[in-house]
């Protein structure tokens, strides 16, 4: 029986590796493409024995060759944490622009359905709250975060153009803050920083006064929402995230409590253009995809802390 073939760019990353795994479990063939600048082979090494899985180490800003039929393409390649895209600003811009162009070209050639991993960062430092898909955003194009925000905004525009002018079947997911196993310990984001600091008994570095908010979604919920979007026929962007909003200081306190750590919270300078609030309006996802997040934050954090404990050898 024919097994549909999925290509995941950025497939060795946090979200990409969960997508690869989930599609293999559902009986798809999966080709994972990653240049490993922020991806990690440890995220996919358990899949190497699977005859339906193939890994290609490759930079998708160059022409992408994939032999045979391809049915679905998930374009997830990109540095995605603020620390990573400050470290790799040009690569971030290139993979969002040139990489999206190549991945869309592959979708056009293979008549595959294409899904773009976009982001809540397209809303920038938002002036409306919660953020609904109709909001156009408040982005500083020349700030240090602009490399990611503008790359993703360009990627969305290119995706819509391939849909309108080449008839490629496209989907756009705007991903809000997500956490879970396989986040890189040193990716610089709040959750991995706080967990590794708490486990090591080091100070917890809250940036600014910690009153900025984020809404945390557990990875399995996000992956399910993205799969449903791919299998739907929705072309317009859809927010996927958990509206469970709290301040960064509250996140830090909860992690200290759940790890049983004696770490104390310290307050460091706030990075440039750090959004003050963020919460997804998921009305569209609920209506179109019949999707809502299922995993509560505490349960998700306990799983993630367990993963970090093992990874760090505590
Ligand atoms: N943050 C923090 N301490 C850290 C890392 C991040 O207080 O060690 C803050 C950061 O300034 C932001 C929020 O936590 O306000 C979420 O940051 P993250 O890097 O996780 O992702 P973002 O939502 O900004 O893309």
């Amino acid at each position: 029986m024919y097994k549909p073939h999925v290509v995941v760019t950025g497939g060795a990353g946090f979200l990409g590796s969960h997508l690869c795994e989930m599609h293999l479990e559902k009986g798809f063939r999966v080709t994972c493409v990653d240049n490993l600048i922020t991806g990690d082979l440890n995220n996919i090494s358990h899949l190497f024995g699977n005859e339906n899985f193939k890994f290609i180490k490759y930079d998708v800003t160059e022409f992408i060759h994939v032999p045979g039929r391809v049915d679905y393409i998930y374009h997830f390649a990109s540095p995605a944490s603020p620390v990573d895209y400050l470290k790799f600003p040009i690569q971030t811009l290139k993979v969002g622009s040139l990489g999206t162009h190549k991945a869309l070209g592959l979708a056009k050639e293979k008549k595959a359905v294409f899904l773009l991993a976009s982001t809540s960062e397209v809303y920038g430092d938002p002036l409306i709250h919660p953020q609904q898909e109709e909001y156009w955003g408040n982005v500083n194009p020349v700030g240090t975060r602009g490399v990611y925000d503008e790359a993703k905004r360009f990627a969305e525009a290119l995706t819509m153009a391939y849909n309108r002018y080449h008839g490629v079947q496209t989907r756009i997911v705007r991903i809000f803050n997500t956490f879970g196993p396989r986040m890189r310990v040193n990716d610089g984001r709040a959750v991995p920083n706080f967990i590794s600091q708490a486990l090591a008994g080091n100070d917890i570095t809250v940036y600014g006064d910690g009153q900025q908010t984020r809404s945390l979604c557990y990875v399995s919920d996000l992956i399910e929402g993205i799969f449903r979007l791919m299998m739907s026929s929705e072309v317009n962007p859809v927010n996927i995230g958990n509206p469970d909003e709290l301040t960064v200081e509250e996140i830090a306190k909860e992690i200290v409590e759940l790890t049983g750590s004696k770490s104390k919270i310290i307050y460091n300078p706030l990075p440039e253009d750090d959004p003050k609030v963020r919460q997804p309006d998921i009305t569209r996802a609920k209506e179109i995809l019949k999707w809502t997040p299922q995993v509560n934050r505490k349960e998700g954090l306990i799983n993630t802390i367990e993963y970090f404990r093992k990874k760090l050898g505590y």
Side-chain angles (χ1 to χ4, degrees), residues 2 8 28 51 93 112 122 134 156 225 228 230 281 283-284 292:
Y2 178 73
V8 182
F28 291 74
E51 59 176 15
L93 282 158
V122 301
E134 288 69 27
E156 288 197 4
R228 288 191 192 198
M230 177 63 109
D281 179 327
T283 309
R284 279 168 59 78
T292 48

Side-chain angles (χ1 to χ4, degrees), residues 246-280:
L246 68 172
T247 67
V248 168
E249 191 180 53
E250 285 167 337
I251 299 173
K253 285 184 177 158
E254 190 161 298
I255 288 173
V256 170
E257 192 193 309
L258 291 174
T259 49
S261 170
K262 295 196 168 52
S263 295
K264 68 173 197 304
I265 292 175
I266 59 164
Y267 296 84
N268 286 350
L270 192 67
E272 184 184 336
D273 296 331
D274 197 281
K276 286 180 263 317
V277 289
R278 186 182 285 157
Q279 188 203 121

Side-chain angles (χ1 to χ4, degrees), residues 12-34:
F14 166 43
L15 299 179
S17 64
H18 284 283
L19 278 174
C20 291
E21 191 176 75
M22 184 263 269
H23 283 84
L24 289 169
E25 280 164 11
K26 288 189 189 289
F28 291 74
R29 281 183 303 133
V30 175
T31 298
C32 162
V33 187
D34 202 302

Side-chain angles (χ1 to χ4, degrees), residues 80-83 85 119-121 145 148 177 183 187-194 197 204-208 210 212-214 216 248-249 251-252 266 268-271 274-276 278:
S81 95
V83 169
Y85 48 75
T119 167
S120 54
E121 283 282 323
R145 279 180 102 98
Y148 185 63
N177 292 72
M183 289 191 99
D187 91 349
R189 287 179 170 123
V191 170
N193 272 8
F194 296 166
Q197 290 161 346
I204 309 283
T205 57
V206 164
Y207 300 158
Q212 69 274 33
T213 67
R214 294 295 186 272
L216 300 180
V248 168
E249 191 180 53
I251 299 173
I266 59 164
N268 286 350
L270 192 67
D274 197 281
K276 286 180 263 317
R278 186 182 285 157

Side-chain angles (χ1 to χ4, degrees), residues 49-211:
N50 189 322
E51 59 176 15
N52 292 315
F53 181 69
K54 192 169 161 196
F55 170 68
I56 304 172
K57 183 172 182 295
Y58 193 70
D59 179 347
V60 296
T61 62
E62 306 286 344
F63 188 92
I64 309 169
H65 290 276
V66 178
R69 187 167 151 184
V70 175
D71 302 283
Y72 301 99
I73 300 171
Y74 289 89
H75 182 43
F76 274 60
S78 178
S81 95
V83 169
D84 287 339
Y85 48 75
L86 294 189
K87 198 158 132 204
F88 303 110
I90 314 281
Q91 289 95 327
T92 302
L93 282 158
K94 282 178 73 179
V95 76
S97 54
L98 306 177
T100 303
H101 183 226
K102 299 295 178 286
L104 278 163
L106 181 68
K108 176 171 164 251
E109 168 68 24
K110 303 284 185 181
K111 299 188 171 40
V113 190
F114 174 90
L115 185 145
L116 172 69
S118 186
T119 167
S120 54
E121 283 282 323
V122 301
Y123 303 121
D125 190 3
L127 303 177
I128 69 147
H129 193 68
Q131 293 76 54
Q132 52 192 177
E133 291 88 346
E134 288 69 27
Y135 179 49
W136 292 352
N138 177 39
V139 170
N140 174 5
V142 295
T144 46
R145 279 180 102 98
V147 296
Y148 185 63
D149 305 9
E150 295 296 1
K152 290 294 188 182
R153 289 167 68 97
F154 175 85
E156 288 197 4
L158 194 63
T159 300
M160 293 306 291
Y162 265 67
N163 175 270
R164 292 183 182 123
Y165 297 97
H166 288 313
V168 173
Q169 293 185 66
T170 59
R171 318 276 180 259
I172 297 174
V173 58
R174 291 187 179 148
I175 298 170
F176 282 66
N177 292 72
T178 303
F179 70 101
R182 302 204 194 124
M183 289 191 99
R184 248 176 39 243
V185 170
N186 59 351
D187 91 349
R189 287 179 170 123
V191 170
N193 272 8
F194 296 166
I195 295 179
S196 42
Q197 290 161 346
L199 291 176
N202 294 333
D203 291 345
I204 309 283
T205 57
V206 164
Y207 300 158
D209 60 7
Q211 296 311 299

